[in-house]
Amino acid sequence: RDILYVGDTARVPYGNKSAEMVTAYSREIIHFLKKKGADRIVVACNTASALAVGKLRDSASVPLHGMIESGVRAALEVAGSGPVGVIGTSATIASGAYQTALSQLRPDWKILAQATPLLAPLVEESWLEGEVTEKVVRRYLEPMMREKIRVLVLACTHYPLLKGVLGKVLGGGVRLVDSS
């Protein structure tokens, strides 16, 4: 099978854009991929998954898969009794997509969500470790660490590249869940 890939490097980051803008970009990319013959589309961006997939699924006329379901499924497999943390772009966290999906399946879980808008730019700059990255991660995760999260869902496809520093800051008792 052929795999077609679109990396929208001209308009990233999506995480600080409006839902309308992300949906418009996603609609354009879906149209482009369908013109190229795509018979199934995976939206491999958590922000686009959170903001656009639900709105575009019916009109896409091909199966459209987002990241939210896989991230939630992975969290369910390892989380035990929680509490569960979710980090992502400002738009992903503001959408409530992960929080809602997790709460619907496990209403007993305490879910802590934190927008972490500086992490994707750090990854883009290849600042995957070091003092600055560690301080930024620690600052974002301090509230979750106080709540003793057991699982952290990485709700941005950039964040798995930060697993080393995330693990160092959180310690070995927290499972990292990669939504991809």
Side-chain angles (χ1 to χ4, degrees):
R1 282 191 101 139
D2 291 335
I3 295 176
L4 304 170
Y5 171 81
V6 174
D8 190 2
T9 57
R11 301 183 288 200
V12 294
Y14 278 24
N16 61 2
K17 296 188 172 38
S18 70
E20 294 77 19
M21 188 65 64
V22 172
T23 300
Y25 292 167
S26 299
R27 185 178 290 113
E28 288 176 15
I29 294 168
I30 289 167
H31 179 72
F32 171 80
L33 288 170
K34 285 174 48 183
K35 278 180 36 178
K36 295 290 185 183
D39 58 4
R40 176 176 303 273
I41 297 173
V42 175
V43 179
C45 169
N46 282 274
T47 299
S49 295
L51 300 179
V53 166
K55 295 175 186 171
L56 300 176
R57 189 168 268 140
D58 291 338
S59 64
S61 71
V62 296
L64 191 60
H65 306 279
M67 301 298 293
I68 309 302
E69 297 84 1
S70 63
V72 167
R73 194 169 36 253
L76 288 171
E77 290 176 10
V78 300
S81 62
V84 175
V86 180
I87 58 172
T89 66
S90 297
T92 298
I93 297 303
S95 77
Y98 274 95
Q99 301 93 301
T100 299
L102 287 164
S103 293
Q104 286 175 343
L105 294 171
R106 291 295 301 268
D108 58 315
W109 276 356
K110 182 173 190 174
I111 299 163
L112 300 125
Q114 174 68 47
T116 52
L118 294 177
L119 296 187
L122 286 170
V123 171
E124 291 284 338
E125 292 295 324
S126 297
W127 287 30
L128 306 180
E129 54 189 46
E131 182 181 354
V132 170
T133 303
E134 188 174 327
K135 283 184 177 184
V136 170
V137 166
R138 187 172 304 284
R139 178 77 179 261
Y140 281 139
L141 296 181
E142 279 176 351
M144 293 182 184
M145 292 164 55
R146 281 193 301 273
E147 294 292 329
K148 298 186 179 1
I149 60 167
R150 307 307 327 140
V151 170
L152 180 65
V153 178
L154 310 180
C156 176
T157 51
H158 284 73
Y159 295 179
L161 295 169
L162 295 170
K163 280 184 177 178
V165 72
L166 290 165
K168 181 178 179 182
V169 168
L170 291 168
V174 179
R175 301 280 302 263
L176 301 177
V177 173
D178 177 353
S179 62
S180 62

